[in-house]
Amino acid sequence: KVKLDITPYYRSMRPNGPGGSLLSTSGLYVGNKQYTETLNVPYAQGGKFVAEAMSNIAEYEAGVNAAITVKAGHHEITGGLWFDRFWERALSKFVGVDQYGNADDSGRTFLTYSDGTILSTTNFYLNRQVSSFYVSDKISLLDDKLKIMLGYKQIFVSVSGNNFLPGATPTVGVSQTKATPRFGVTYS
């Protein structure tokens, strides 16, 4: 008996994490770059203003798991492949809060310096890719009371990212592989 399983998946999220801060109108940093320029923020008092931090994140993940299982005698042998890809883009920006505590989070009023730099604390792109292959054998003996499971999975993971804040390491990445053997025995 042969069985084929193919399971694709996709996930998309756009979470938003608002927060509040009391900031100065000048002397702020974006990455390691200090701006001496004074931001023109309505409702600032004494060189300070209340800002809403808008953490806009876009996440996407897609993958597929494909396996074939063959039952022959006392053996149930499975072999398969798994592929997963994840992307994330994050940018945390600030908007001024008015005298009633309202913030325009439409994107039209993000605090921006004269050189076009958005006042932000986070600005990155992340990419992760996982690939693996696996094989297993479940051996059933003694009228299916004794089960012996043997397996092996090889996983390949690659992660890279781009940090767009001034002064940060602009690109980082790592690739690793890991062997994960499996052994189990049950009796019932």
Side-chain angles (χ1 to χ4, degrees):
K1 183 178 176 184
V2 176
K3 180 182 172 189
L4 176 65
D5 287 312
I6 299 175
T7 308
Y9 57 92
Y10 176 77
R11 176 180 70 88
S12 173
M13 288 181 40
R14 298 197 56 93
N16 182 3
S21 295
L22 179 65
L23 299 175
S24 297
T25 55
S26 64
L28 297 173
Y29 284 82
V30 177
N32 71 347
K33 182 177 180 182
Q34 184 177 23
Y35 282 84
T36 56
E37 175 183 340
T38 299
L39 287 168
N40 182 14
V41 183
Y43 313 109
Q45 295 180 2
K48 304 263 187 225
F49 67 98
V50 176
E52 179 181 35
M54 301 297 300
S55 296
N56 299 108
I57 300 169
E59 294 181 354
Y60 306 96
E61 184 171 19
V64 64
N65 186 26
I68 189 165
T69 301
V70 177
K71 289 186 180 183
H74 296 290
H75 296 270
E76 182 179 296
I77 300 168
T78 300
L81 300 168
W82 174 48
F83 177 77
D84 178 84
R85 183 94 185 256
F86 173 82
W87 306 267
E88 179 177 342
R89 176 71 175 100
L91 177 60
S92 295
K93 321 169 268 292
F94 290 94
V95 295
V97 174
D98 69 18
Q99 73 270 28
Y100 304 108
N102 299 315
D104 178 7
D105 57 7
S106 67
R108 294 186 306 265
T109 60
F110 293 132
L111 298 175
T112 306
Y113 289 101
S114 60
D115 68 356
T117 300
I118 296 173
L119 179 61
S120 58
T121 58
T122 302
N123 189 354
F124 71 85
Y125 171 77
L126 174 73
N127 177 36
R128 181 195 71 217
Q129 183 173 312
V130 178
S131 302
S132 74
F133 67 87
Y134 53 91
V135 64
S136 67
D137 187 4
K138 182 167 61 171
I139 305 164
S140 298
L141 303 169
L142 302 175
D143 293 324
D144 287 340
K145 290 182 180 179
L146 175 65
K147 293 188 176 152
I148 302 169
M149 289 142 308
L150 306 165
Y152 177 81
K153 183 189 289 183
Q154 185 73 36
I155 303 170
F156 306 92
V157 179
S158 178
V159 179
S160 64
N162 300 92
N163 191 338
F164 303 110
L165 290 176
T169 301
T171 304
V172 294
V174 65
S175 294
Q176 294 184 336
T177 185
K178 183 78 175 175
T180 58
R182 174 181 167 184
F183 174 75
V185 177
T186 62
Y187 184 84
S188 59

